[in-house]
Amino acid sequence: MTEVRMRVNGTIRPMELEPRVSLLDALREHLGLTGTKKGCDQGACGACTVLVDGERILSCLGLAMQYEDREITTIEGVDHPLQTAFVHHDGFQCGYCTSGQICSALGMLAEHRAGMPSAVTEQVASTPTLTAEEIRERMSGNLCRCGAYEGIVAAIEETAR
């Protein structure tokens, strides 16, 4: 066991962890932050997306120890108009993927503001317009079993204005 000091949602949280514990398992099982979901546990679905220093990551793919002394934001630490927009546009149904979708969307919006292109960006030398096509491409790593994609895109479009 190794002591790890993690900053999660603005609070430093010391934990005793085995070196092989994933960030996802540390959040859920050791800190009781169950908003971040375990979907595929292989990085394919995006349900475990959290923000680390403002960038979106798949928490099932990283070891908790890698993120010591970095700012981790889970859905429990998010207070953003995007959450209301998800409700307004019915961007969730069962809700299982919602926490990952919201964290991913916040990271995606930050990437867009920074001028990062996507695979569908036509003019990579300039900040792309955040069209529905851009949003769909940028959010393609987050799966929704219920098919609430249109509501998710609408919520992101509303918030991005």
Side-chain angles (χ1 to χ4, degrees), residues 111-124:
E111 292 165 8
H112 177 260
R113 281 191 302 275
M116 295 173 70
S118 78
V120 298
T121 302
E122 291 184 26
Q123 300 293 324
V124 295

Side-chain angles (χ1 to χ4, degrees), residues 3 9 12 17 19 22 27 29 32 45 47-48 50 64 89 97 105 111 115 119 132-133 148 156:
E3 182 169 324
N9 300 327
I12 295 177
L17 297 174
S22 71
L27 294 170
E29 297 171 16
C45 72
C48 68
V50 298
H89 292 283
C97 72
E111 292 165 8
E133 182 183 28
I156 295 169

Side-chain angles (χ1 to χ4, degrees), residues 62-93:
L63 298 175
M65 300 178 89
Q66 292 176 266
Y67 300 100
E68 190 168 28
D69 298 322
R70 297 181 68 189
E71 184 59 42
I72 299 161
T73 304
T74 67
I75 193 64
E76 291 89 348
V78 172
D79 183 16
H80 192 276
L82 183 60
Q83 293 161 299
T84 302
F86 260 68
V87 173
H88 177 75
H89 292 283
D90 198 23
F92 65 97
Q93 288 179 28

Side-chain angles (χ1 to χ4, degrees), residues 29-150:
E29 297 171 16
H30 295 272
L31 296 180
L33 298 171
T34 57
T36 303
K37 303 299 184 209
K38 184 179 280 195
C40 66
D41 210 20
Q42 299 175 2
C45 72
C48 68
T49 304
V50 298
L51 301 169
V52 176
D53 298 331
E55 294 181 22
R56 57 188 171 162
I57 65 136
L58 300 169
S59 63
C60 72
L61 294 181
L63 298 175
M65 300 178 89
Q66 292 176 266
Y67 300 100
E68 190 168 28
D69 298 322
R70 297 181 68 189
E71 184 59 42
I72 299 161
T73 304
T74 67
I75 193 64
E76 291 89 348
V78 172
D79 183 16
H80 192 276
L82 183 60
Q83 293 161 299
T84 302
F86 260 68
V87 173
H88 177 75
H89 292 283
D90 198 23
F92 65 97
Q93 288 179 28
C94 79
Y96 196 84
C97 72
T98 305
S99 60
Q101 296 278 1
I102 289 173
C103 286
S104 186
L106 293 173
M108 180 271 296
L109 289 169
E111 292 165 8
H112 177 260
R113 281 191 302 275
M116 295 173 70
S118 78
V120 298
T121 302
E122 291 184 26
Q123 300 293 324
V124 295
S126 63
T127 302
T129 303
L130 197 57
T131 63
E133 182 183 28
E134 277 283 341
I135 292 169
R136 283 186 193 95
E137 172 60 29
R138 291 169 183 267
M139 293 294 293
S140 64
N142 289 78
L143 303 179
C144 173
R145 292 179 178 108
C146 300
Y149 295 114
E150 292 306 313

